[in-house]
Amino acid sequence: MDCVFCGIINGEIPSNKVYEDDLVLAFRDINPEAPVHILVVPKTHVSSCDSIDADNSFLISKIFEMIPQIAKKEGLSNGYRVITNVGEDGGQSVKHLHFHILGGKKLPVHLC
Ligand code: 5GP
Ligand code: ZN
């Protein structure tokens, strides 16, 4: 499978990691759209939010357990945004489930 985030997870592609455990990896986005822009991914390949089910939802639980801790470590005490894009209409460019953490400035209110 040709997946850039699987490549980052298995170390074939370098990344700037900010958090890692047995289930979850977080690293800085290569093309940041805010002063803090981190991607949080499950270490096993899940294509998108559309593929979350009863068998893998524990990964989402773990990701959302870690997001506030990552945000705190990054100093995002005044708030931040968590986004996941799904499929073509959602603008998903990497087909490995990921949650963007964006912060470090007042973000625009428009979601679309
Ligand atoms: P999407 O558009 O799929 O929601 O977000 C994919 C994100 O992955 C984009 O913000 C893009 O900048 C980031 N990205 C794509 N390739 C790489 C890479 O090789 N390394 C890192 N750190 N980020 C990447
Ligand atoms: Zn993958």
Side-chain angles (χ1 to χ4, degrees):
M1 193 195 317
D2 192 19
C3 172
V4 64
F5 289 173
C6 282
I8 286 173
I9 291 159
N10 67 29
E12 283 170 17
I13 298 171
S15 69
N16 193 341
K17 294 178 187 176
V18 298
Y19 174 79
E20 182 168 21
D21 63 32
D22 53 334
L23 298 176
V24 170
L25 177 65
F27 52 94
R28 296 191 194 283
D29 196 292
I30 204 169
N31 186 23
E33 295 190 27
V36 175
H37 187 171
I38 291 167
L39 303 173
V40 191
V41 306
K43 281 189 164 179
T44 51
H45 186 89
V46 177
S47 300
S48 79
C49 194
D50 206 37
S51 297
I52 298 169
D53 58 25
D55 291 332
N56 62 25
S57 61
F58 69 98
L59 296 167
I60 313 307
S61 169
K62 181 67 184 181
I63 285 170
F64 273 83
E65 185 186 326
M66 296 324 301
I67 283 173
Q69 295 187 34
I70 294 166
K72 188 172 186 187
K73 203 171 160 199
E74 293 292 320
L76 302 179
S77 56
N78 205 39
Y80 54 94
R81 185 168 292 162
V82 179
I83 295 173
T84 189
N85 296 322
V86 184
E88 288 307 306
D89 283 2
Q92 183 183 7
S93 61
V94 177
K95 306 310 194 236
H96 180 127
L97 176 64
H98 52 283
F99 295 87
H100 299 255
I101 301 174
L102 294 151
K105 70 172 185 181
K106 183 119 179 111
L107 299 167
V109 292
H110 298 293
L111 291 177
C112 58

